[in-house]
Amino acid sequence: MTRPCATKVLVIGYVWPEPRSSAASGHVMQILETFQRQGWDITFSSPAGPGEHKADLASLGIREVAIELNNSSFDAFITELAPDIVLFDQFMMEEQFGWRVEKHCPNALRVLETSDLQSLRHARHQRLKERLKANTDQDDFSELFRPALREEFERMADTDMAKREVAALYRCDLNLMISEVEIELLVEQFGLPRDLLHWCPLMIDPPATAHRAFAQRAHFLSIGNFRHAPNWDAVLWMKTTLWPLIRQRLPDAQLHVYGAYTPPKATALHNAAQGFHVMNWAEDALQVMSEARICLAPLRFGAGIKGKLIDAMLCGTPSVTTPVGAEAMHGPHAWPGAVESSASALADAAVQLYQDESRWQAAQATGDALLAERYQQAIHGPALIEKLQFCRQHLQTRRNNNFTGSMLRHHLHKSTQYMAQWIEAKNQRS
């Protein structure tokens, strides 16, 4: 009796995964692990060079293949591989390779993994820049966190990035969304069919060991890839405004700032006398998180959900963040720490949590409950597999019902194809 062939999956990554450097890469790894649990045959490809902290996918049984932009060698590669599912990691990869996938593997299910809605993040960044330029008040940013979805849409709708990103969502057979807020924005304001979107948050296995106790911890911690603009902005706000307010009340307090790819402008902020320590990359993010008493994440803009705050819950570390930091992360449930909109309120909450053991313990228990309620791999992993299998079984019907996506593929992919072929021919002549 012959065994059925394993489902073949090709992942086209914007970068090679670095799960210890970014939440986006961590989410990609969780998706890959979900596929592996099914016994699927996985190939990961990327046109990017390997980063400093690249995961060793080959050791996990995942094939690694380097690919090139604007090069027909990809056509031969994907034709030979003949994947059943192609997962684009970020919409730019769908723009670059979508037409090639459609041409050479028309029956492959095309899936976009968004990580976060980049056009939303960029629009919020622009709004923060305008706010900083217009007003020197560095404390209260409440108005940044209050816009309704309609206002978010109006700021995004005329941007090139939103048009490109939403078009890519339409062109795919399914889109993995990490944030329920972004799903509502896309459905209610941009008009995307809800059936094109699948909620797939970070997928976590429960902690295997008990958390460190209050008395076994010390100091504050902030962590995040310095190449991610929201993280760098948060570090600057802590340095100039938030951390001085905390140190006024806790003169011996220390803040340890960890992040991958630490630039000189970040190391220049290190000041031991102020208790502000820039620690570079953490070899084990969960270990340093477990040793901290409070996680600080004063994000003034961003999108998606925040891996650092999931890590804090995993480690039993209460967190203090903003509404944009907590967005789409806790639903109707309480936050495991505090959510505030001004530097003074964030500092008050951080100091209270740092000193009040009973409040701290309650926040830790809230984090445990939240992980179990919303982020279990045992729930979201099977739901993802079920959705992918359903989409494959009804692929032609889904495509027939998505005329807008078909129209966008026709127009963009033709222009992209001709541009790619022109670039390839130009490169061959030079």
Side-chain angles (χ1 to χ4, degrees):
M1 181 177 176
T2 59
R3 299 178 61 185
C5 295
T7 297
K8 286 186 179 181
V9 181
L10 171 64
V11 181
I12 303 177
Y14 181 68
V15 296
W16 295 94
E18 296 190 15
R20 293 185 296 172
S21 299
S22 75
S25 284
H27 193 231
V28 169
M29 293 299 295
Q30 291 163 9
I31 293 171
L32 295 178
E33 290 162 6
T34 298
F35 294 166
Q36 284 188 305
R37 286 185 171 98
Q38 294 297 116
W40 289 0
D41 181 355
I42 308 168
T43 300
F44 194 102
S45 61
S46 178
E52 185 178 344
H53 309 300
K54 172 185 170 294
D56 185 1
L57 299 177
S59 69
L60 302 175
I62 298 172
R63 191 179 302 107
E64 298 181 353
V65 178
I67 55 177
E68 294 184 49
L69 298 173
N70 305 310
N71 194 309
S72 57
S73 61
F74 180 86
D75 303 347
F77 159 65
I78 195 169
T79 300
E80 181 180 356
L81 183 64
D84 302 296
I85 300 172
V86 177
L87 178 71
F88 302 102
D89 173 31
Q90 301 193 32
F91 77 90
M92 296 83 77
M93 293 298 95
E94 189 278 336
E95 287 183 326
Q96 288 286 339
F97 295 98
W99 69 270
R100 295 183 185 273
V101 172
E102 182 173 12
K103 180 177 180 179
H104 298 285
C105 293
N107 295 323
L109 182 72
R110 297 185 292 268
V111 183
L112 176 58
E113 141 59 8
T114 60
S115 292
D116 68 1
L117 201 57
Q118 295 189 41
S119 50
L120 174 61
R121 169 160 43 90
H122 282 259
R124 288 174 169 175
H125 194 184
Q126 185 59 37
R127 188 166 69 236
L128 172 63
K129 291 177 180 178
E130 293 169 3
R131 160 72 169 73
L132 293 175
K133 184 176 180 179
N135 192 327
T136 58
D137 177 16
Q138 295 290 296
D139 179 68
D140 191 352
F141 290 84
S142 300
E143 78 279 4
L144 286 180
F145 310 126
R146 280 199 293 261
L149 291 182
R150 185 64 191 177
E151 184 180 341
E152 300 276 26
F153 167 76
E154 290 173 352
R155 293 190 67 92
M156 297 167 63
D158 198 38
T159 66
D160 288 346
M161 180 169 287
K163 292 172 184 176
R164 291 171 55 199
E165 189 167 25
V166 173
L169 296 173
Y170 265 112
R171 288 192 298 266
C172 288
D173 300 309
L174 185 68
N175 301 279
L176 307 186
M177 305 299 302
I178 206 167
S179 163
E180 293 163 305
V181 170
E182 292 172 10
I183 290 176
E184 293 309 308
L185 175 64
L186 290 168
V187 171
E188 299 298 331
Q189 302 301 324
F190 284 91
L192 264 82
R194 190 177 293 273
D195 193 47
L196 284 180
L197 310 174
H198 176 73
W199 181 46
C200 183
L202 295 176
M203 299 180 282
I204 306 298
D205 290 317
T209 58
H211 302 311
R212 285 175 179 253
F214 178 87
Q216 296 175 307
R217 299 169 180 250
H219 309 314
F220 294 82
L221 174 140
S222 179
I223 191 166
N225 191 322
F226 282 106
R227 289 179 176 174
H228 192 52
N231 293 334
W232 173 238
D233 175 75
V235 169
L236 291 176
W237 196 30
M238 283 189 293
K239 174 69 174 181
T240 60
T241 307
L242 176 57
W243 184 243
L245 293 173
I246 293 174
R247 281 278 287 191
Q248 287 175 9
R249 295 167 61 180
L250 298 174
D252 296 325
Q254 307 291 313
L255 171 61
H256 296 162
V257 180
Y258 291 91
Y261 300 104
T262 311
K265 64 182 180 180
T267 55
L269 300 179
H270 179 88
N271 190 318
Q274 297 173 353
F276 196 96
H277 301 269
V278 178
M279 309 294 286
N280 298 317
W281 184 64
E283 182 72 29
D284 187 337
L286 295 182
Q287 178 182 341
V288 297
M289 184 70 78
S290 295
E291 295 170 352
R293 188 173 291 179
I294 303 293
C295 171
L296 291 179
L299 297 163
R300 292 190 288 191
F301 72 99
I305 61 178
K306 315 306 180 294
K308 61 178 70 65
L309 296 174
I310 293 290
D311 286 349
M313 294 181 223
L314 276 171
C315 297
T317 307
S319 56
V320 177
T321 189
T322 62
V324 77
E327 180 179 87
M329 293 199 64
H330 61 111
H333 307 285
W335 184 254
V339 179
E340 301 291 350
S341 299
S342 68
S344 55
L346 287 163
D348 288 343
V351 170
Q352 289 174 13
L353 269 173
Y354 194 86
Q355 295 180 315
D356 189 332
E357 183 172 359
S358 61
R359 182 177 298 194
W360 187 91
Q361 289 173 337
Q364 185 181 78
T366 298
D368 290 339
L370 190 54
L371 282 180
E373 180 69 26
R374 288 177 64 86
Y375 296 101
Q376 286 196 64
Q377 198 284 334
I379 294 173
H380 294 291
L384 173 60
I385 297 300
E386 181 180 356
K387 185 69 174 182
L388 292 172
Q389 291 175 336
F390 176 86
C391 291
R392 288 187 64 199
Q393 292 166 4
H394 301 87
L395 183 56
Q396 194 55 54
T397 299
R398 293 176 65 84
R399 289 180 177 173
N400 290 342
N401 292 337
N402 182 18
F403 178 78
T404 300
S406 176
M407 178 177 60
L408 289 168
R409 288 199 310 275
H410 173 79
H411 287 287
L412 181 76
H413 285 174
K414 288 297 183 184
S415 61
T416 303
Q417 174 183 347
Y418 298 145
M419 177 60 73
Q421 291 172 339
W422 180 82
I423 292 173
E424 182 176 11
K426 180 175 180 291
N427 291 338
Q428 290 172 348
R429 290 195 301 268
S430 58

